[in-house]
Amino acid sequence: MSKSLPTSLFVRLRVLLCAWFLVSAVAVAQQPARSFAVDGDHFVLDGKPFQVIAGEMHYERIPREYWRARMEMAKAMGVNTIATYVFWNMHEPRPGVYDFSGNNDLVAFLKLTQAEHLYVLLRAGPYSCAEWEFGGFPAWLLEDPKMSTALRSNDPAFIVPAERWIKRLGQEVGSLQIGNGGPIIATQIENEYGNFSNDHAYMAHMRDIFVEAGFTESLLYTVDPSKALANGEIPGIYSGVNFGTGNAEHGLKALEASRPGQPLFATEYWPGWFDLWGHPHQTRPIAPQLQDLNYILGHGASINIYMIHGGTSFGMMAGASQSTGAYRGNVTSYDYDAPIDEAGHPTPKFYAYRDVILKYTHEKPLPVPATPPVIAVPQFTLTQSASLWDRLPKPIESEKPLTMEQVDQAYGYILYRKQLPAALHNAQLHLDTMQDFALVYLDGKFVGTLDRHYHQETIALSTDGPSRLDILVENTGRLNSTKWMRNERKGIRGAELDGAPLTGWQIYSLPMSEVPAVSGHAPASATPAPHFAAGNFRLARVGDTFLDVRGLGKGLIWINGHALGRFWDIGPQGTLYVPGPWLKKGRNDVVIFELLKNDPAPKLAGLTTPILDAPTPSYENDPERKKKPAADAEFGPKLAAPASAPNAPKE
């Protein structure tokens, strides 16, 4: 007897199966595609009115292990969307070489937002600003001398690599746009271009690049501060407005006047501000911010809180500002006085913001997530040391000094060495375009420092006979805004002694891209000598901590191979945030590169609370801080917003 189905039954089953597939296909075809769009004076998500309540956080500033925790904390504050910049320099470290791995895994970050039922504003650039090194541009752009005029223009020197990058980004994340079922509801073109220039042909070209790169399944938009809206807008592309504390009514009315009838959107609302080395810690009061929030949400406008969580500019990724005409690097912390602090903890501002947001969304408050454990690390000593002079790489021979970019270097330090043939008496050494901080030595003995902040480029030299001149220059961070950034080549471009050009140099590239191995003992010298120092501590359990670096001078620090960032004893940052996932039970290794202090056994400790308001030089000793922001300062009115008094506690 055959075990096969009767022919008539088989035919009936086949017909039913085909009918089921047909009905399913029709049902899928009839499902409306997901979309986010402008509909008159409001946004619509999948055809329904939608008010964007976003909080900004940057995946590059948060250890990957904490991405989800930060999102959940933001969601508990009441937001429905996460905004993030995409920093070009992190993803294309060399021309045509891309990195989307580890902490640069943008796709993983975006998929995680979707898993957390959050939407995304993708601030794709190619320019970001964000107090990030060179505004997110890769340093290799500056290898081309044309970039002094080409940056952020239609000049092929800039637009060709920018287009290549945006198209590569489109390949990476295009499928994650809302129209393709992903979380990206809107993609930003450029960033605050109206503060930089008013070349509408450039912005139109940039729009075309985004369209060609496949950014057609999310809303394209631009953002500018209120005073610069007309300079940066593109016809047919949605435009939002950026502003800070106390400016809600002015900002939204400026947008309404510029774009009547469209949805109102505070695309950056600044609850805090960033810190600069040597300048007092910045905070902003809560009360006027709550008034702003009520005004924005009460008028049905959308908002992106920049930053809801600032995080940390780890390594050498902090940028720099020149808003007063005087250069100053940004500190490593990007706490920003945000509602969620640098370590992911809710602040009083978090709860106050949440109360206002929930008043308008009428949502039930979510439980505030638990925060990662915080631990203290007992004081420990860095017991080993090695002089930089004993660790120099093979030099580059050059008649004239070369910049970092000319020797294919992006970050770190660069050393210029030359033999001086005769004795000198008060000879004036002048460095051409010294950027940013230099230490000068004769025969290994410290002569003095030059600081770009004070426009210092000249120092006196005296010797008894022939000597070796060493000039060690630090890249303290490239400017991240204004047209001044076009000239941010690091190192020096020339040197003169009493007006005569100095030639015949040995140049040592010191990018500090790898953690040096250190062994030996601290050099016995009473004057500053650049050196590495190392030590370790042991832990029974891991957790976040704040490394107290107030006993150090100026330099870099690594823990277990992770670059924490820069330290400098001029304040205001006195501790560096150490994420728990970067620590381990048992031994933890610490290495520093120190420029200024020659303590033979420096001591460090891990605190349970950060110190972001350490003392800074007095105004009397820093006349540059008395100057008002320049008229063309990128952020205009927001720099003039009143700051809290130095060292004032947060509300």
Side-chain angles (χ1 to χ4, degrees), residues 389 439 441 444-447 525-531 595-598:
W389 309 133
L439 300 96
Y441 304 85
K445 296 180 180 179
F446 179 67
V447 176
S525 171
T527 59
H531 64 278
L595 294 176
L596 295 179
K597 291 190 177 180
N598 221 33

Side-chain angles (χ1 to χ4, degrees), residues 3-20:
K3 294 183 180 180
S4 60
L5 290 172
T7 302
S8 58
L9 180 58
F10 177 80
V11 170
R12 286 197 298 271
L13 287 173
R14 185 174 180 181
V15 169
L16 288 172
L17 187 61
C18 289
W20 181 84

Side-chain angles (χ1 to χ4, degrees), residues 1 24 96 166 196 264 292 300 340 386 445 471 539:
M1 180 178 176
S24 298
I166 293 299
F196 185 86
L264 297 177
D292 287 337
I340 304 169
K445 296 180 180 179
I471 306 168
L539 292 176

